[in-house]
Amino acid sequence: MKNIYLSDSIVDLKRHILEAGERILAFGACGPENAQFHQARYKLYSIASSDVSVSDASVIAADADVLALARDVFPISCDAGVLEECRIAENLLGESNLTFGKIYRAYHGQIYQGLMEDELTWLEREGQLRSCTESTYPSAATQCCRIGYIGGGALPLPAMLLAQRLGYQVVVLDPHTRSAAFATELIAKVGLDHLVRVICVDGSKYDFSDCDLVFVSNWIADKQPLLRHLRKFTNIQYFIFRSAPRNSLGFIINDMIDPNRVCEHGFRFRYQTEKRPGLSLISLIFSLLSQSEATESTETIRRADDEPAKMATSRKRLVVDSITDLIGNTPILKLNPAKTSLTNIDLYAKLEHLNPFGSIKDRTAWAMLRPHLGTLQSSNKQLLELSSGNAARALQAVASIYGSALETITNRIRIQEMRRMLVVQGAKVSPMAGDVDPTDAMAALLYVDARAYEQRDRYLYTDQYRNPNNDCTHYATTAQEILEDLGPVDYFFAPVGTAGSSIGIGRRLREANEKLKVSGIVSTKDSAIPGIRHMDEMFYVGPFEEQKYDQLVGITASEALDGMLALIRDYGVMAGPSSGATYLAALRYLRAIDAKQTERKSAVIIVCDRVELYLSWIEQMRPALFEDYETPEAEHATVATSATLGA
């Protein structure tokens, strides 16, 4: 995160901190009407999120005036946060068609998502997280974790994210009556009340005997009573505390937890997540000391200063219990440099078309549905979505396994094979109302929103355009696989439809290499490429944010077909049109800069889906390809190769 305070000297930085803190203390009242109070508070948050050097942070942290101010400001900031969340929750509840995606994008969703993914990555590697749907046997749902979340507030977004991501039962504990009431209403309105429950109680007075994991919000001023209480519950496997990181400025507005002080209460320090750029919080993970550990010398117990053990990862699976176990973990193909004509840049293709239902949307559908499968079966609800292609196919495939079906509302299915495949799978394809312009993405989305809300007892609305699991599953899985297989990459190319995969993957890859160049591939306005939107549509749909891309590249339908045929014939990659567009755009860009490189670089494209569903589109575009080779027309059926692409 770029910050205006980074250019200041330490003296100036200290002055900014003290001025803002003193204003907070002077104004006192933290209600929403006190604009000056909140301006000072937001200023402190901005400084706290700055990525300053360790040495500068250490100097500021050693200053007695700053430390005293931080201790006084923190409890006031906690109270202000409670009131602020109530105000935001009240405004959100006033919206007629509220979805979880709207809450996520209105209130720091990416921040909480990043923290959660870091926590879950470690827990999964420890083998302590098991999805409620990992097994096909009915008893699996009774074996999955139950989570306690202490200090959820009126917008318990972290708890809702955990439920959405894992399908676990989460109980939110908050002692503020108004906050708990708003949270309960929000959770019910977005249809997560089967997974998330709110109880108005102080966490230090709750019985955690049915919880496996406990998360503790940073906004709890005095954690000592809570630590003494949590120590009683030996059934809890891990305790996750949100904390300001050491060697940063996060402490000026957040509570910095000393892990060694926590260990004095009978806990064992297990792991600390890394500080993410621009964030003022990390997570500290603890477990309880066993009886044998409690009697050991403290020298044998891991302390906070120890290096956390690195866990080996393995993604190889040969026998699975469910077809959904085969979603993800797709291979990467290094494209032959003799065909790409690249000397200094290695170009790789992430083969997402090898997912079991045939596209990258398998990941999205599974991420959106997995938390709700139990309810889907017990309530006899159908799925509702706005989709004209691969998302609908994947949703229907998963729904069929669990005894449900999809109704997709769209007027955009231009490919007959796609429509027929949906019918074969058992999906219902319903047209948009006659007064809705199908080319107006927002109008179509609002139409489906209204339908979902009016018939919420009938439908489970997956809302792919705003569901955070759309882009976040690619952040957590697709991008992570790329990093595990290749390490940091320099260039990333992906087609842009709902923008979920390009945004999610690009965000994670950029964390590994801040110099990453991200190219989003769209169609030119006069072309229709299946699976890609054109330039003008992109500003109105999904998680799309133009500033997340270094460039948006327009490709014609004819160019997309050339690229697709080159992938098929040069590499045996049975790719669809969006992948062809991406391949052509990548070659055009990389060839222009290849000779200028002074060190080896790497680039990745995404192969999103398969060619088989687009044969009628290919025939419409290039009828000569399907003519008998003995006829004169066949002479005109020339096919571009990688060598001639982009020329």
Side-chain angles (χ1 to χ4, degrees):
M1 175 184 289
K2 292 184 179 179
N3 192 290
I4 60 173
Y5 304 107
L6 288 181
S7 60
D8 289 344
S9 67
I10 292 179
V11 173
D12 289 334
L13 196 56
K14 175 185 172 182
R15 177 174 54 81
H16 284 305
I17 294 170
L18 293 177
E19 285 178 354
E22 287 164 0
R23 284 191 190 132
I24 290 174
L25 297 176
F27 293 132
C30 54
E33 69 285 346
N34 193 334
Q36 290 181 310
F37 172 90
H38 289 288
Q39 286 173 2
R41 182 167 165 261
Y42 295 147
K43 181 177 180 179
L44 270 192
Y45 269 117
S46 180
I47 298 172
S49 301
S50 301
D51 296 320
V52 300
S53 68
V54 172
S55 59
D56 286 355
S58 299
V59 171
I60 296 292
D63 188 282
D65 293 336
V66 173
L67 286 173
L69 185 92
R71 283 193 295 269
D72 292 339
V73 164
F74 179 66
I76 298 174
S77 181
C78 290
D79 292 340
V82 170
L83 294 175
E84 181 182 34
E85 286 196 357
C86 286
R87 176 182 58 81
I88 296 172
E90 189 171 20
N91 291 338
L92 286 169
L93 286 168
E95 296 192 17
S96 57
N97 301 323
L98 183 64
T99 65
F100 176 61
K102 288 182 180 179
I103 299 173
Y104 176 91
R105 304 197 188 283
Y107 192 66
H108 312 305
Q110 286 192 1
I111 292 176
Y112 291 119
Q113 181 78 31
L115 286 170
M116 183 190 73
E117 293 297 345
D118 291 341
E119 296 157 353
L120 298 189
T121 295
W122 185 83
L123 290 169
E124 286 170 343
R125 289 176 180 175
E126 283 282 278
Q128 296 302 323
L129 287 182
R130 178 176 58 254
S131 166
C132 290
T133 56
E134 277 189 4
S135 170
T136 56
Y137 300 102
S139 60
T142 65
Q143 299 172 353
C144 63
C145 293
R146 186 179 297 272
I147 297 174
Y149 196 96
I150 303 172
L155 288 165
L157 188 58
M160 297 163 77
L161 279 168
L162 286 165
Q164 280 275 58
R165 168 78 153 74
L166 300 168
Y168 291 176
Q169 297 287 323
V170 182
V171 57
V172 177
L173 309 172
D174 196 294
H176 303 91
T177 304
R178 192 159 176 253
S179 292
F182 277 131
T184 300
E185 190 174 353
L186 271 178
I187 290 165
K189 195 165 185 179
V190 300
L192 282 175
D193 47 339
H194 63 291
L195 291 175
V196 185
R197 182 166 54 105
V198 181
I199 300 177
C200 185
V201 66
D202 190 297
S204 62
K205 299 176 182 177
Y206 182 73
D207 181 358
F208 290 95
S209 56
D210 62 346
C211 291
D212 301 284
L213 300 173
V214 170
F215 286 74
V216 181
S217 165
N218 189 256
W219 282 4
I220 298 175
D222 183 6
K223 296 181 176 65
Q224 295 304 310
L226 183 61
L227 288 169
R228 290 192 292 269
H229 181 65
L230 291 174
R231 179 66 185 87
K232 304 172 186 175
F233 298 96
T234 57
N235 53 285
I236 300 174
Q237 296 174 352
Y238 291 103
F239 305 80
I240 298 93
F241 289 79
R242 302 277 169 78
S243 170
R246 289 181 293 178
N247 302 322
S248 79
L249 298 181
F251 75 93
I252 63 176
I253 198 71
N254 299 303
D255 186 21
M256 182 184 292
I257 297 171
D258 181 352
N260 295 321
R261 295 291 299 275
V262 176
C263 291
E264 291 172 1
H265 287 269
F267 294 85
R268 179 181 181 183
F269 177 73
R270 300 300 299 270
Y271 188 72
Q272 173 181 305
T273 61
E274 293 185 10
K275 182 185 181 303
R276 287 172 170 263
L279 297 190
S280 60
L281 289 174
I282 58 168
S283 297
L284 304 175
I285 302 178
F286 299 85
S287 62
L288 287 176
L289 288 177
S290 65
Q291 286 187 340
S292 59
E293 287 176 327
T295 60
E296 291 177 6
S297 165
T298 56
E299 294 299 318
T300 66
I301 304 300
R302 177 179 293 172
R303 304 284 287 174
D305 299 324
D306 294 341
E307 179 68 22
K310 295 188 180 297
M311 301 296 168
T313 61
S314 174
R315 301 206 314 265
K316 187 176 182 181
R317 293 176 292 181
L318 299 178
V319 178
V320 297
D321 295 319
S322 170
I323 190 70
T324 56
D325 290 337
L326 297 175
I327 295 173
N329 299 323
T330 55
I332 292 177
L333 173 68
K334 183 177 181 179
L335 301 183
N336 188 342
K339 295 181 177 181
T340 64
S341 302
L342 296 172
T343 304
N344 301 307
I345 303 174
D346 296 318
L347 180 56
Y348 299 89
K350 178 72 167 164
L351 304 182
E352 288 297 299
H353 70 307
L354 298 182
N355 277 300
F357 313 131
S359 84
I360 195 170
K361 287 291 188 178
D362 293 13
R363 295 182 190 258
T364 304
W366 182 233
M368 293 191 300
L369 276 184
R370 187 175 69 168
H372 306 287
L373 293 177
T375 300
L376 197 64
Q377 289 177 297
S378 62
S379 65
N380 294 318
K381 285 187 176 182
Q382 290 185 323
L383 302 182
L384 185 69
E385 187 51 83
L386 171 64
S387 173
S388 58
N390 288 318
R393 290 199 306 112
L395 285 169
Q396 176 58 47
V398 177
S400 295
I401 296 171
Y402 292 92
S404 185
L406 167 74
E407 180 176 350
T408 183
I409 300 178
T410 179
N411 285 349
R412 290 177 61 97
I413 299 181
R414 303 184 180 100
I415 311 299
Q416 282 303 310
E417 293 96 329
M418 187 69 73
R419 183 181 294 274
R420 290 176 178 177
M421 179 58 74
L422 286 168
V423 172
V424 167
Q425 288 183 253
K428 179 181 179 181
V429 181
S430 298
M432 203 78 65
D435 59 345
V436 178
D437 180 0
T439 64
D440 185 339
M442 184 54 68
L445 186 59
L446 292 175
Y447 174 80
V448 180
D449 279 355
R451 173 82 171 273
Y453 186 74
E454 291 165 3
Q455 301 185 50
R456 54 191 177 278
D457 293 334
R458 176 184 177 187
Y459 293 117
L460 172 63
Y461 180 30
T462 44
D463 190 21
Q464 66 163 331
Y465 284 92
R466 287 172 306 222
N467 192 318
N469 281 343
N470 184 349
D471 49 305
C472 290
T473 192
H474 297 294
Y475 174 95
T477 65
T478 321
Q480 187 60 33
E481 291 165 20
I482 292 172
L483 292 174
E484 289 177 8
D485 291 339
L486 299 178
V489 298
D490 302 290
Y491 306 98
F492 172 58
F493 302 84
V496 185
T498 64
S501 58
S502 57
I503 288 289
I505 297 171
R507 181 157 56 95
R508 180 67 185 94
L509 295 183
R510 184 162 273 147
E511 289 176 358
N513 177 13
E514 62 181 11
K515 296 181 179 180
L516 173 77
K517 300 296 183 184
V518 178
S519 297
I521 314 306
V522 298
S523 70
T524 56
K525 192 170 182 179
D526 57 349
S527 287
I529 303 175
I532 298 182
R533 291 184 177 268
H534 65 67
M535 289 276 196
D536 291 350
E537 290 179 306
M538 291 319 306
F539 298 94
Y540 304 104
V541 296
F544 176 81
E545 295 180 59
E546 186 180 10
Q547 65 270 25
K548 300 296 184 183
Y549 303 87
D550 293 281
Q551 62 172 348
L552 292 174
V553 183
I555 298 295
T556 68
S558 180
E559 290 173 327
L561 179 53
D562 285 341
M564 181 182 72
L565 293 173
L567 282 171
I568 292 170
R569 298 191 178 192
D570 285 347
Y571 309 102
V573 175
M574 301 297 147
S578 65
S579 307
T582 305
Y583 178 54
L584 183 140
L587 283 187
R588 183 176 287 166
Y589 178 86
L590 296 174
R591 283 172 176 170
I593 64 172
D594 183 53
K596 303 173 186 176
Q597 304 307 309
T598 57
E599 57 185 23
R600 196 117 201 114
K601 297 293 180 68
S602 59
V604 175
I605 66 170
I606 301 296
V607 177
C608 289
D609 64 0
R610 301 184 61 84
V611 63
E612 290 87 347
L613 288 175
Y614 302 103
L615 295 178
S616 64
W617 179 81
I618 298 171
E619 186 170 15
Q620 181 182 6
M621 292 286 298
R622 302 270 175 88
L625 281 173
F626 295 87
E627 298 288 346
D628 189 317
Y629 283 104
E630 298 299 321
T631 64
E633 288 84 355
E635 297 176 6
H636 303 289
T638 57
V639 175
T641 64
S642 294
T644 60
L645 277 185

